[in-house]
């Protein structure tokens, strides 16, 4: 039975959010310096950092509603109830995937304050130091290198005790973490029956699955560690509950919600380039269209689907594609919406003995209710946990035959090819939980895919959903890597430590030949919802790419992109951490730029 909890609201009042407007007419009459599109993960970082200066006026426009009082956006274990296809989702699906038996799947994106940081599954890391050094090489800007980016962890992150206050010694290394940042991060506050077995299996197979002293910290991600989650005091910590709520008493910050930006306004030519210092918006199809201008800049933080969508609707993108849907071209740039890249999720479920897994909780509304009651009363218990106890990042063996013919796509030797996520229940988004049985899931994720896809417009209608095609598992590297990742999780499940627990692989996971594993991958895989690359950063003089090393849209004036879409490749991490770090540095770049009397806004 599906418990529709997303629509329930919390029975207690959270801190009231001020200066959140639902009607354009109610906004204060001021000239905004910056208009930020999207109050999501990155947008709220900018909203906060830019308004630290009381002289700066910022307007944030968000399509979705407030996250306040939305239970599934607050109770960590209930995260999967918030999306897909709810009032808090953009309800996107991908086009049929040739590499996955032509199946489609949902591609949820948070559509509420906090964006996907209010809707994600709360796992938190930053990627490998190699990822940032690669970003520095690609952009020619040493400011993106790990040694320069590291400091932003301490601005961003606030490690707090787990909600059960257990002794965390040996589970993370405090020196690696921030304690005074914005987003609360904690270890899990509820031990599960499999935790000791995971550690034992890791120790037993330590050459392949070593146990890490601290989750996945950028200089040391290869191995298995206790999952860290964006949870404080047993509740979700999002960009809304942290960056935005910390700034929302500032008179210079206004947030307009339930309002969708339709397109940018070309505000004329500066230095021979079109400027885009205005945005058009409406509350829905066939509703009145309003507009607002920014004195300094418009900053797109609408996410990896939303940002290319707005750029394309504004005539910034591939000339031929825009002509096909009848949109007037302003800047011909084939990279807009191109190179969409996403982490592939391959569900691997094992049947287990006993009834101590969390499958009973998911089947039985009474059990779920009693867990919810405990969480409501004290913010403890299983509902305070994210969906996975341990995660690990790994590489393919150096002598893999594939590397004889194919270059290694990882950012460097410290970055990963694949990930394993341990869950104490049936974790298979493409197949519903069977009515009986208990399960262990060792979900494999392809971390360094070489498949690249695209986001394109279906029509010129701004409310029409775009065509999203990540081209999942279509390259030789991807096919090889996912097959070997499935073989590796089966080796992990075969550890002696599991012998009295794991019965064996479930369903199509049982096959052992290349063909059988490929079939298992094609019939079950989907996305772990980390799309990016659609407004990729590159050096100022590179022909490809959408934004330069300072995140300014190439060929345009007064327009920047700051969100996950600027990552030109997938980092070795779930993508909220890397998005937060990019946004923290972006805020510094924008502030620095505004202090220079730049040609960009001399005319104002
Ligand atoms: C279901 C799910 C699970 C995930 N699990 C994890 C996880 O466990 N750990 C992890 O690290 N990452 C996870 N991710 C990924 C991570 O959350 C995202 O990569 C990251 O939050 C993206 O940040 P962003 O700022 O680019 O976009 P978002 O946070 O999505 O923000 C974009 C914002 O812009 C708004 N917007 C878009 N278009 C418009 C428009 N036209 N007008 C006005 N507003 C607009 C959106 O409503 C949204 O609020 C998950 C994502 C999802 C969806
Ligand atoms: C910012 O807010 C302060 C306090 O309300 C106000 O005095 C000031 O005029 C505002 N800044 C701008 C640029 O409007
Ligand atoms: C997504 O689907 C839900 C449920 O049908 C609906 O309430 C919501 O309005 C839809 N959102 C969008 C952006 O279409
Ligand atoms: C998927 O669709 C393509 C193009 O329509 C077709 O060529 C292919 O045979 C299909 N594959 C499967 C497994 O159905
Ligand atoms: C936590 O555990 C460690 C290692 O077992 C021990 O040294 C330390 O004293 C414990 N701390 C507390 C506060 O109990
Ligand atoms: C689990 O099994 C035990 C022993 O058979 C039984 O007492 C208990 O009620 C079961 N619990 C659930 C949740 O089914
Ligand atoms: C790679 O090396 C390992 C360990 O030395 C060995 O067991 C394996 O067979 C080798 N694989 C290939 C493809 O050579
Ligand atoms: C897009 O991907 C291709 C292939 O990986 C790469 O060569 C190109 O540089 C990428 N473009 C951008 C803008 O990053």
């Amino acid at each position: 039975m599906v418990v529709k909890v997303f629509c329930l609201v919390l029975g207690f009042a959270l801190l009231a959010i001020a200066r959140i407007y639902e009607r354009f007419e109610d906004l204060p009459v001021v000239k905004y310096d910056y208009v930020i599109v999207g109050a999501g993960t990155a947008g709220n970082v900018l909203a906060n950092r830019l308004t630290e200066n009381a002289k700066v006026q910022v307007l944030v426009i968000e399509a979705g509603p407030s996250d306040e009082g939305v239970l599934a956006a607050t109770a960590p274990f209930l995260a999967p109830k918030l999306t897909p296809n709810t009032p808090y989702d953009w309800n996107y699906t991908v086009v049929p995937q040739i590499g996955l038996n032509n199946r489609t799947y949902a591609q949820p994106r948070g559509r509420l304050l906090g964006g996907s940081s209010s809707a994600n599954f709360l796992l938190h890391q930053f990627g490998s130091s190699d990822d940032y050094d690669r970003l520095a090489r690609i952009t020619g800007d040493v400011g993106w290198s790990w040694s320069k980016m590291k400091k932003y962890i301490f601005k961003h992150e606030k490690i707090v005790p787990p909600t059960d206050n257990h002794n965390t010694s040996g589970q993370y290394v405090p020196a690696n973490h921030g304690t005074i940042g914005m987003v609360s991060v904690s270890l899990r506050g509820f031990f599960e029956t499999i935790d000791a077995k995971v550690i034992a299996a890791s120790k037993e197979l330590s050459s392949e699955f070593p146990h890490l002293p601290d989750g996945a910290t950028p200089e040391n991600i290869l191995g298995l560690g206790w999952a860290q989650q964006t949870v404080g005091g047993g509740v979700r910590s999002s960009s809304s509950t942290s960056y935005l709520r910390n700034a929302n008493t500032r008179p210079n910050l206004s947030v307009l919600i339930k309002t969708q930006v339709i397109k940018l306004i070309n505000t004329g030519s500066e230095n021979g380039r079109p400027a885009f210092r205005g945005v058009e918006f409406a509350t829905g199809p066939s509703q009145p269209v309003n507009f607002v201008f920014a004195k300094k800049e418009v900053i797109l933080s609408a996410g990896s689907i939303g940002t290319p969508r707005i750029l394309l609707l504004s005539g910034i993108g591939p000339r031929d594609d825009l002509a096909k849907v009848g949109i007037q071209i302003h800047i011909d740039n084939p990279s807009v919406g191109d190179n969409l890249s996403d982490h592939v999720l391959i569900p691997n479920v094992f049947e287990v003995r006993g009834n101590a897994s969390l499958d009973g909780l998911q089947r039985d509304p009474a059990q779920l209710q009693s867990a919810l009651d405990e969480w409501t009363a004290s913010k403890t218990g299983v509902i305070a946990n994210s969906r996975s106890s341990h995660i690990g990042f790994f590489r393919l063996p150096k002598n893999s035959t594939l590397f004889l013919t194919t270059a290694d796509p990882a950012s460097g030797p410290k970055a990963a090819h694949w990930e394993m996520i341990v869950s104490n229940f049936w974790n298979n988004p493409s197949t519903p939980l069977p009515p009986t049985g208990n399960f262990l899931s060792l979900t494999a994720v392809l971390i360094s895919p070489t498949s690249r896809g695209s986001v394109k417009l279906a029509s010129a209608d701004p409310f029409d959903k775009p065509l999203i095609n990540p081209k999942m598992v279509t390259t030789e590297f991807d096919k090889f890597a996912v097959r070997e990742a499935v073989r590796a999780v089966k080796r992990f499940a075969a550890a002696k430590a599991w012998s009295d627990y794991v019965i064996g692989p479930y369903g199509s996971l049982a096959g052992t030949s290349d063909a059988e594993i490929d079939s298992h991958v094609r019939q079950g895989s989907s996305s772990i919802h980390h799309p990016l690359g659609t407004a990729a950063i590159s050096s100022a003089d590179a022909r490809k790419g959408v934004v330069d090393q300072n995140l300014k849209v190439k060929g345009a004036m007064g327009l920047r992109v700051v969100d996950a879409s600027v990552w030109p490749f997938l980092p070795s991490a779930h993508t909220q951490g890397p998005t937060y770090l990019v946004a923290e540095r972006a805020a510094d770049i924008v502030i620095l730029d505004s202090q220079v009397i730049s040609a960009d806004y001399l005319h104002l």
Side-chain angles (χ1 to χ4, degrees):
M1 186 203 275
V2 180
V3 187
K4 290 258 179 200
V5 286
F6 65 80
C7 54
L8 303 182
V9 294
L10 297 176
F12 58 94
L14 293 170
L15 262 182
I17 305 176
R19 291 176 215 291
I20 308 281
Y21 301 88
E22 296 202 0
R23 284 156 31 100
F24 172 63
E25 294 75 14
D26 297 339
L27 283 177
V29 182
V30 289
K31 290 213 154 124
Y32 295 103
D33 295 292
Y34 299 96
V35 173
I36 298 169
V37 180
T41 312
N44 286 336
V45 174
L46 291 165
N48 181 305
R49 297 301 181 202
L50 297 181
T51 57
E52 281 175 356
N53 180 347
K55 290 197 186 118
V56 173
Q57 286 281 359
V58 172
L59 172 66
V60 188
I61 304 179
E62 167 57 45
S66 172
D67 60 321
E68 205 182 6
V70 179
L71 178 62
T74 309
F77 196 76
L78 301 185
K81 310 265 183 207
L82 195 74
T83 62
N85 303 318
T86 69
Y88 308 105
D89 186 17
W90 284 86
N91 304 345
Y92 296 133
T93 52
V94 298
V95 304
Q97 294 299 291
I98 291 175
L100 302 178
N101 291 345
N102 290 338
R103 287 182 300 116
T104 68
Y105 54 79
Q107 181 86 90
R109 300 280 86 200
R111 192 175 190 267
L112 70 170
L113 288 180
S116 296
S117 76
S118 294
N120 68 25
F121 289 8
L122 307 112
L123 293 171
H124 186 253
Q125 332 82 45
F126 299 103
S128 167
S129 54
D130 283 346
D131 294 322
Y132 294 87
D133 291 341
R134 182 181 181 188
L135 208 50
R137 283 198 304 278
I138 288 175
T139 56
D141 176 0
V142 70
W144 293 111
S145 66
W146 180 242
S147 65
K148 305 278 185 199
M149 290 299 287
K150 189 173 180 172
K151 61 174 181 283
Y152 293 112
I153 287 188
F154 303 94
K155 285 187 91 173
H156 158 70
E157 181 183 67
K158 178 166 71 182
I159 286 275
V160 298
T163 177
D164 64 354
N165 273 309
H166 74 262
N167 184 342
T168 55
S169 160
Q171 297 183 355
Y172 84 110
V173 179
N176 291 337
H177 295 274
T179 52
I180 55 163
M182 288 285 174
V183 170
S184 298
V185 175
S186 57
L187 289 158
R188 292 153 68 76
F190 179 78
F191 280 91
E192 291 177 17
T193 46
I194 58 168
D195 292 345
K197 293 183 172 67
V198 176
I199 307 269
S202 173
K203 291 202 167 132
E204 181 187 328
L205 305 176
S206 60
S207 61
E208 189 171 9
F209 301 96
H211 203 263
L212 295 174
D214 186 355
T217 48
E219 277 141 286
N220 193 19
I221 69 161
L222 297 172
L224 191 71
W226 289 95
Q228 294 169 16
Q229 47 183 21
T230 42
V231 171
V235 304
R236 178 190 292 269
S237 185
S238 67
S239 74
S240 174
T241 68
S242 59
Y243 288 94
L244 183 60
R245 223 155 282 181
N246 270 305
N248 67 14
T249 52
R250 295 180 190 159
N252 298 332
L253 174 62
S254 301
V255 183
L256 178 62
I257 60 172
K258 299 184 180 173
T259 303
Q260 185 164 331
V261 168
I262 292 169
K263 62 174 179 131
L264 304 164
I265 300 170
N266 182 339
T267 45
S269 175
E270 297 167 24
N271 298 341
R273 299 193 218 163
F276 293 89
R277 291 203 174 81
V279 297
E280 273 184 20
F281 47 84
T283 57
S286 46
Q287 293 302 308
V289 173
N290 279 304
F291 50 87
V292 68
F293 294 99
K295 281 200 287 181
K296 291 184 174 152
E297 298 181 14
V298 170
I299 302 175
L300 290 179
S301 297
S304 302
I305 311 298
T307 286
R309 189 179 172 183
I310 295 168
L311 287 170
L312 294 169
L313 286 165
S314 311
I316 303 172
R319 176 180 296 277
D320 293 347
D321 287 357
L322 294 178
K324 257 184 240 161
V325 293
I327 289 177
Q328 192 204 338
I329 188 111
H330 289 298
I331 298 173
D332 179 14
N333 184 340
S335 295
V336 175
D338 201 21
N339 275 13
L340 173 64
S341 187
D342 196 4
H343 283 149
V344 185
L345 177 152
I346 306 109
N348 300 303
V349 179
F350 297 83
E351 198 170 0
V352 298
R353 294 190 174 85
N355 61 7
S357 77
L358 297 178
D359 296 295
L361 181 75
Q362 321 233 54
R363 286 192 188 105
D364 177 5
Q367 265 192 59
L368 183 61
Q369 191 56 53
S370 95
L372 254 178
D373 290 345
E374 175 185 351
W375 179 83
T376 306
S378 60
K379 299 292 171 291
T380 57
V382 65
I383 301 294
N385 274 0
S386 71
R387 310 282 291 180
S388 344
S389 57
H390 284 80
I391 62 168
F393 291 91
F394 305 98
R395 291 178 66 80
L396 298 172
K398 278 201 188 72
N399 64 350
S400 298
T401 50
L402 180 78
F403 292 133
L404 298 173
T405 52
T406 308
D408 180 350
S411 293
K414 291 191 278 180
H417 295 125
W418 69 278
E419 181 190 5
M420 179 170 75
I421 301 179
V422 182
S423 306
N424 188 17
F425 52 87
W426 175 273
N427 189 7
N428 183 347
S430 43
T431 313
L433 171 65
T436 59
N438 284 269
F439 305 98
L440 165 74
S441 297
L442 301 178
T443 308
V445 180
L446 175 58
I447 288 295
S448 61
T450 58
S451 300
R452 295 280 181 277
S454 61
V455 173
K456 291 181 190 291
L457 295 179
S459 78
D461 177 351
F463 292 94
D464 217 1
K465 283 181 195 148
L467 305 170
I468 303 171
N469 185 3
K471 297 198 181 144
M472 283 284 194
V473 199
T474 50
T475 62
E476 282 316 302
F477 176 83
D478 291 8
K479 289 178 202 170
F480 181 90
V482 292
R483 191 189 298 142
E484 292 312 312
V486 170
R487 289 202 164 110
V489 305
K490 289 167 87 170
R491 287 195 290 277
F492 187 70
K496 284 196 213 71
W498 295 109
S499 61
D500 61 351
Y501 189 63
V502 171
I503 298 169
Y506 188 86
S508 60
L509 182 60
T512 54
S513 69
D514 283 5
E516 286 168 320
I517 297 175
D518 291 354
S519 161
H520 165 71
V521 167
R522 283 196 303 267
Q523 65 186 262
S525 300
S526 59
S527 160
I528 192 158
H529 311 311
H530 300 162
L532 47 69
T534 49
I537 191 171
S538 63
S539 63
D541 54 1
R543 269 196 319 115
K544 287 187 171 167
V546 176
V547 296
D548 68 13
Q549 69 275 17
N550 291 325
L551 306 171
K552 291 183 179 177
V553 173
K554 294 185 172 197
M557 301 295 277
L559 181 61
R560 252 183 254 251
V561 175
V562 181
D563 59 29
S565 58
V566 305
W567 272 93
F569 58 86
L570 281 156
S572 292
H574 295 238
T575 43
Q576 67 170 336
T579 306
Y580 276 126
L581 293 198
V582 162
E584 282 280 14
R585 176 161 192 246
D588 277 358
I589 293 175
V590 172
I591 291 165
L592 197 66
D593 268 12
S594 73
Q595 289 159 358
V596 179
I597 307 285
S598 140
D600 280 32
Y601 37 88
L602 263 183
H603 75 290
L604 290 165

